[in-house]
Amino acid sequence: MNKQAIQSIVAEVVQQLSQTTKQSNTVPMAVSARHCHLSIEDVEALFGAGYELTKKSDLSQPGQFAANETVTIVGPKGSIEKVRVLGPARSITQVEVSKTDSIKLGAVPPLRESGDIKNSEAITLVGPKGSIYKKEGLIIARAHIHMTPDDAEAYGVKNGQCVRITAQGERPTTLERVLIRVSPKFKLEMHIDTDEANAGLISTGATGILSLYEEAL
């Protein structure tokens, strides 16, 4: 068999696999518990001058990690200890909680895409070397799917689009208005919070079926 014939067969197999993925529309799911992202300035305010986050374990998204460091978050009516910090440090500080968490804090964070913290809820963070009050930064993160550009093409979606996901398992649950986020830095995975996971008896490693809305939202 010549080289050209082999290349032709390989290309056909790749195309068939891509088509199978697109037709099945299955998406791996992961549960994202409460956590916070810190700016470099806030890392130092909470843990000391010159301090850098240390890695506890890698996360599924390339280059991201769960840090050994944790903080206490404080709201108007309560606090939650040992909230995991995720690294590396970012340009802004953001705290992501579930609705259940927000009730314990006595706060009313908006449902937002990660990174969109303008006019969000205030929160106080306490670390071993200090505390900081943020006028905005506390949110409930929208359910979303990380995709590479190739993934987006295979699924027939684009960045910023909303889709419907039906989680498979003991209690099939449909999640509406799930946000597509596309970047070559991402790995295919849907992220939901603990409230969404508990409602559908969903755990990390589950899969969901993606379907498109007939009309744009």
Side-chain angles (χ1 to χ4, degrees):
M1 184 177 295
N2 61 37
K3 183 177 181 181
Q4 184 176 359
I6 294 174
Q7 290 176 336
S8 178
I9 292 172
V10 170
E12 183 178 350
V13 170
V14 170
Q15 183 178 7
Q16 289 175 348
L17 290 173
S18 176
Q19 186 65 24
T20 299
T21 300
K22 184 176 179 181
Q23 289 176 348
S24 64
N25 280 349
T26 58
V27 177
M29 305 179 72
V31 182
S32 181
R34 70 179 77 98
H35 62 272
C36 67
H37 303 279
L38 298 176
S39 67
I40 294 175
E41 294 79 10
D42 288 344
V43 168
E44 293 188 344
L46 294 169
F47 296 97
Y51 193 91
E52 295 183 1
L53 297 175
T54 60
K55 184 187 296 186
K56 175 179 174 67
S57 60
D58 288 315
L59 299 177
S60 60
Q61 295 305 307
Q64 305 297 304
F65 62 89
N68 289 300
E69 292 75 21
T70 63
V71 297
T72 297
I73 56 176
V74 183
K77 295 183 179 179
S79 62
I80 300 176
E81 298 180 346
K82 297 182 179 180
V83 176
R84 184 69 55 189
V85 177
L86 302 188
R90 294 190 175 184
S91 59
I92 59 173
T93 290
Q94 173 181 292
V95 181
E96 299 178 32
V97 297
S98 68
K99 179 62 178 178
T100 299
D101 292 334
S102 73
I103 293 172
K104 181 174 182 179
L105 293 170
V108 188
L111 182 66
R112 293 281 184 85
E113 177 183 357
S114 179
D116 180 11
I117 66 168
K118 185 176 180 180
N119 298 322
S120 58
E121 182 67 292
I123 189 71
T124 296
L125 294 85
V126 181
K129 298 294 184 178
S131 64
I132 52 175
Y133 172 77
K134 309 298 291 187
K135 293 182 179 179
E136 57 187 19
L138 182 67
I139 66 169
I140 298 173
R142 287 185 61 179
H144 56 278
I145 304 173
H146 292 283
M147 287 186 175
T148 66
D150 287 344
D151 292 327
E153 182 177 358
Y155 285 93
V157 297
K158 59 184 179 180
N159 186 58
Q161 183 175 350
C162 290
V163 298
R164 178 183 292 115
I165 294 289
T166 300
Q168 301 173 300
E170 292 182 78
R171 183 185 289 171
T173 303
T174 298
L175 298 166
E176 305 280 349
R177 297 183 64 82
V178 178
L179 183 68
I180 298 294
R181 302 183 62 190
V182 180
S183 169
K185 298 180 179 180
F186 289 158
K187 176 183 176 181
L188 179 64
E189 190 172 62
M190 177 177 176
H191 289 176
I192 58 176
D193 69 20
T194 50
D195 282 353
E196 292 162 326
N198 291 338
L201 301 181
I202 302 166
S203 57
T204 294
T207 57
I209 303 298
L210 183 152
S211 58
L212 305 180
Y213 290 104
E214 294 182 1
E215 299 179 359
L217 294 174

